Amino acid sequence: MVALDTLNQDVLFSILLLVHDSSRHTIFSILLVNSVLSKAAQPFVFRHCTLDFTQFTSWQLDAQNSRKPSSPEPFALTQRRIQALLDHQDNSLVFRAIRNLVIFSSYSRWDPKESDDQPNENAVRRYSFDENSTPEDQDPQIAKKWGALAQLISRLKHPKNVTFECNEPVPIVLLQALEKHQSTVSLHVLNWTRRHVSTKVGDPNEEALGHSPCLRTLSAKIITGGPHMDYSEPAFQRIVALAPNLDTVHYSTRSAGGCVVYGFSMEEMNEQSRESARFQVEHPMKKSLKTLHWSWMSPNSIKTWETFLDLAQLTTLIVNSADCRTLQYATEQGSFSGVTELKFGYSRRWRDDGGPDEDTVLAQFIASFLTLESLSVTSYGGPTIIEPICTYLAHSLRTLSLHNVEGSEHSREVLSIKDLAKLQGGIPNLQSLEFDINRTLDGRRERGIYAVILTFSHLKNLTIHYDLGIQHHDSSDGYFDGADEDSARDIWFAAGPPGLQSLTLYFGEPNRDIGFGYPASWVLHEQSLRQKIIVRPHERDDLRDQLVVEIQGARKSEMNTKPLNLDQLLAASLGPLPDEDDDL
């Protein structure tokens, strides 16, 4: 047997890189083996560097001043850490080894006179300076905060990625340091934040970010529904239109909720339209994105994207909500012909408005993607979606997710045993499958479904969404309960094909949208009951026959419900199979 420390440096580097990427903490153990492995492993200690710029809120600072703090401010610790790195010589291993630099914070304090009584989400996203504040190159406070980090970036020898995930605008001093000293680095902005939602066009931070040649990823999660004019979306689109090398875009929104709804006068809305139009770029740089993730899609949004994006080159499209009219337009225009990964939520009409049949439009939309490898549809409706999937995506599809959200008014539609059998025969190379099961008291449907899933010979990943029976929330039947480790293992053995690598079970809706006002009682009860359970074989080769079960959320023993016992359902579901002619 060849000892690890006798391998040549290239082979040893490749092995240690795999170890670092899968289990970074193992590198610190390798340092202690012997001098040869310690020397080889040292660069991997600094390969990934994370800097926490979280600052204390004013009430935390007051608590510090009044008593001995339990822990120092993360930002202060980070500044000392950066200074210690800067004390190294230019040819130090530290500067040569760092490849990925991550800067994050959960709270940013700009003005020491800030006087928030309690930390809250609005305080985190609000900045004490207003639209007329001085540019940051004239603000000593910003230079003091980011100057050391900019100096560190300028001294790195071979960085590849810089990730900025702070609740504040990307400082110009960092963008300048990247452009001047590290022009080939990929900048990933994962929590794009504005000075204020009502900031108008021309913000220097946003203009600098839009023109940065390093920007590769731009991601924003916007909270809507506040009392101010919100120009977040046109400002975001302006940066996308300006950025020369952008390849991944993620823009999502959610309502702030609450019982207060803000409205604007017609004059204010007209002003908002005029100011939004000013964000448009006269001569945008048309670019080819790899990934586009947007909260909603409409014919107008597609037309806007086409002014600065080559949509035909897009490979991944994720849209939280798109209606029938939008899908019909996209199909007619052939807007996304190159997409290989598609994920969207289908926004169905509340009532029949005389428009085209929604299921037909959905089928035509899916049929327009001839090279699709991954498809995920939320609120897909009924089984009519199976036919176009098996007809047009039979040989290309590898990943399929079909999910209908459980509601309180009526039972959701789910795939039948015959539908699943059709998928099994129509998509021979399917490797990942996600679908819904509505549980029954006698377990007959579940029993038949598990038997069909066992015949998916290439399946590696299986995800099942079980209902909680919340449509019975006002009846004496009560809710279904969840699962424990034993019942999760039973599902693995009942439904898992031989090559299965991961089984994920959801009990209750994992990501339910909640609108204005106080949540209904069944929503709160669902939150107390829902679970996510992951089952997979043990990662050790000598223990592969053992299953590891991870339960997130409520424990079955802690659930407050009239139980329809899942163990009894599983016992029934593992009994004799129903006749093939049974209507399940």
Side-chain angles (χ1 to χ4, degrees):
M1 178 180 291
V2 179
L4 190 62
D5 55 2
T6 63
L7 296 173
N8 69 62
Q9 291 300 307
D10 291 340
V11 175
L12 187 57
F13 177 86
S14 299
I15 293 173
L16 291 176
L17 180 59
L18 291 173
V19 172
H20 173 273
D21 293 343
S22 60
S23 178
R24 183 173 181 266
H25 291 289
T26 305
I27 292 294
F28 297 96
S29 299
I30 294 177
L31 289 171
L32 305 177
V33 175
N34 58 41
S35 59
V36 175
L37 290 178
S38 177
K39 182 178 180 180
Q42 283 178 12
F44 293 93
V45 174
F46 303 101
R47 189 177 184 87
H48 187 96
C49 181
T50 300
L51 302 175
D52 186 354
F53 270 67
T54 300
Q55 297 175 287
F56 281 164
T57 58
S58 57
W59 68 274
Q60 288 174 313
L61 289 174
D62 291 341
Q64 266 198 327
N65 296 331
S66 62
R67 64 180 186 275
K68 186 177 179 179
S70 58
S71 60
E73 184 182 52
F75 170 71
L77 291 177
T78 296
Q79 291 288 56
R80 290 199 290 268
R81 181 183 173 194
I82 293 175
Q83 192 57 53
L85 294 175
L86 291 175
D87 289 340
H88 288 77
Q89 298 294 325
D90 283 343
N91 61 348
S92 168
L93 173 65
V94 173
F95 299 127
R96 290 185 283 111
I98 292 178
R99 296 293 186 273
N100 303 303
L101 183 62
V102 177
I103 307 123
F104 79 95
S105 72
S106 57
Y107 185 88
S108 299
R109 187 182 68 254
W110 286 76
D111 188 344
K113 297 179 181 179
E114 176 188 56
S115 58
D116 294 317
D117 294 330
Q118 293 291 334
N120 56 65
E121 195 164 41
N122 289 331
V124 170
R125 294 185 177 274
R126 196 194 70 240
Y127 302 97
S128 57
F129 53 75
D130 58 26
E131 297 177 30
N132 298 316
S133 62
T134 59
E136 67 172 48
D137 57 358
Q138 301 176 16
D139 191 334
Q141 191 175 10
I142 295 178
K144 180 180 178 181
K145 180 174 183 178
W146 298 105
L149 178 59
Q151 187 178 353
L152 174 64
I153 288 175
S154 69
R155 294 178 64 182
L156 300 182
K157 303 302 182 182
H158 310 290
K160 291 184 177 180
N161 298 285
V162 173
T163 300
F164 187 89
E165 193 174 0
C166 299
N167 287 308
E168 57 189 279
V170 183
I172 296 177
V173 64
L174 291 189
L175 297 174
Q176 291 174 337
L178 287 171
E179 185 171 356
K180 181 177 180 180
H181 302 283
Q182 312 291 352
S183 59
T184 61
V185 161
S186 296
L187 173 62
H188 310 282
V189 180
L190 300 187
N191 189 23
W192 176 74
T193 307
R194 309 194 70 207
R195 292 155 64 101
H196 192 276
V197 295
S198 60
T199 300
K200 298 177 182 179
V201 66
D203 179 80
N205 295 77
E206 294 175 2
E207 293 299 302
L209 181 61
H211 288 91
S212 173
C214 298
L215 184 62
R216 298 295 191 278
T217 302
L218 184 62
S219 176
K221 297 179 180 179
I222 305 299
I223 300 174
T224 62
H228 303 286
M229 291 290 183
D230 192 341
Y231 300 109
S232 297
E233 185 172 354
F236 187 89
Q237 288 188 344
R238 178 177 176 82
I239 296 175
V240 174
L242 290 172
N245 299 313
L246 197 62
D247 58 37
T248 299
V249 170
H250 178 183
Y251 184 87
S252 63
T253 62
R254 72 173 180 85
S255 170
C259 299
V260 178
V261 179
Y262 296 96
F264 301 99
S265 66
M266 183 60 66
E267 182 180 352
E268 290 173 323
M269 293 174 64
N270 290 334
E271 179 188 356
Q272 185 177 28
S273 297
R274 289 192 298 270
E275 292 297 334
S276 296
R278 294 181 60 200
F279 282 91
Q280 296 179 4
V281 178
E282 186 175 355
H283 300 292
M285 179 175 292
K286 200 158 189 177
K287 57 188 68 65
S288 299
L289 290 185
K290 295 178 181 177
T291 302
L292 176 62
H293 183 175
W294 214 268
S295 276
W296 50 270
M297 184 170 69
S298 68
N300 286 335
S301 64
I302 295 176
K303 294 174 184 177
T304 300
W305 297 340
E306 288 175 334
T307 62
F308 50 83
L309 299 177
D310 186 356
L311 297 180
Q313 300 299 318
L314 198 65
T315 57
T316 300
L317 175 63
I318 303 174
V319 179
N320 296 354
S321 177
D323 60 15
C324 176
R325 180 173 55 94
T326 302
L327 298 192
Q328 187 177 35
Y329 176 84
T331 302
E332 293 171 351
Q333 299 297 316
S335 302
F336 308 105
S337 57
V339 167
T340 59
E341 180 182 356
L342 174 64
K343 181 177 181 179
F344 69 98
Y346 198 16
S347 179
R348 292 179 173 270
R349 295 187 293 259
W350 287 90
R351 60 182 183 274
D352 186 6
D353 59 1
D357 179 69
E358 291 184 310
D359 290 333
T360 301
V361 171
L362 178 59
Q364 293 172 344
F365 179 66
I366 291 174
S368 66
F369 298 90
L370 300 181
T371 60
L372 206 60
E373 298 177 4
S374 176
L375 173 64
S376 174
V377 187
T378 302
S379 300
Y380 65 91
T384 55
I385 195 175
I386 301 299
E387 186 65 34
I389 291 177
C390 293
T391 302
Y392 298 101
L393 307 177
H395 299 292
S396 64
L397 202 62
R398 298 293 183 272
T399 300
L400 177 62
S401 172
L402 299 175
H403 174 51
N404 281 329
V405 178
E406 181 184 8
S408 63
E409 300 298 328
H410 51 76
S411 179
R412 63 183 175 184
E413 285 201 67
V414 296
L415 300 180
S416 68
I417 294 176
K418 293 180 180 179
D419 296 330
L420 289 167
K422 193 169 184 179
L423 284 176
Q424 188 276 333
I427 311 177
N429 299 316
L430 197 63
Q431 298 178 0
S432 296
L433 176 63
E434 181 174 2
F435 68 102
D436 307 324
I437 289 181
N438 286 344
R439 288 183 278 177
T440 58
L441 290 174
D442 60 10
R444 286 168 56 83
R445 181 181 295 115
E446 297 94 305
R447 185 166 69 248
I449 288 173
Y450 296 156
V452 173
I453 298 301
L454 282 171
T455 64
F456 283 73
S457 57
H458 294 91
L459 203 61
K460 304 297 183 185
N461 303 290
L462 176 62
T463 301
I464 303 176
H465 291 260
Y466 293 93
D467 68 327
L468 289 175
I470 58 177
Q471 67 271 19
H472 306 304
H473 68 278
D474 56 354
S475 70
S476 59
D477 296 334
Y479 298 86
F480 289 105
D481 61 357
D484 54 22
E485 292 187 4
D486 291 337
S487 52
R489 287 190 177 93
D490 288 340
I491 296 176
W492 173 281
F493 292 118
L500 194 66
Q501 298 176 358
S502 174
L503 171 66
T504 303
L505 309 174
Y506 288 101
F507 295 84
E509 186 61 32
N511 300 304
R512 184 177 299 281
D513 292 331
I514 300 177
F516 292 100
Y518 191 77
S521 59
W522 64 265
V523 174
L524 297 175
H525 204 61
E526 178 191 47
Q527 293 176 350
S528 69
L529 295 177
R530 62 187 178 189
Q531 292 178 304
K532 177 182 179 181
I533 302 178
I534 302 174
V535 187
R536 58 180 179 273
H538 202 289
E539 63 179 9
R540 284 179 48 176
D541 292 337
D542 58 335
L543 298 176
R544 295 293 290 178
D545 58 337
Q546 298 184 20
L547 295 177
V548 177
V549 181
E550 177 187 351
I551 299 180
Q552 302 174 14
R555 289 282 174 172
K556 185 176 178 180
S557 59
E558 302 170 349
M559 293 183 177
N560 179 23
T561 180
K562 297 179 180 179
L564 299 175
N565 193 277
L566 182 60
D567 292 333
Q568 297 175 358
L569 297 178
L570 287 169
S573 68
L574 297 176
L577 289 174
D579 294 334
E580 293 183 359
D581 295 334
D582 284 355
D583 182 12
L584 299 177

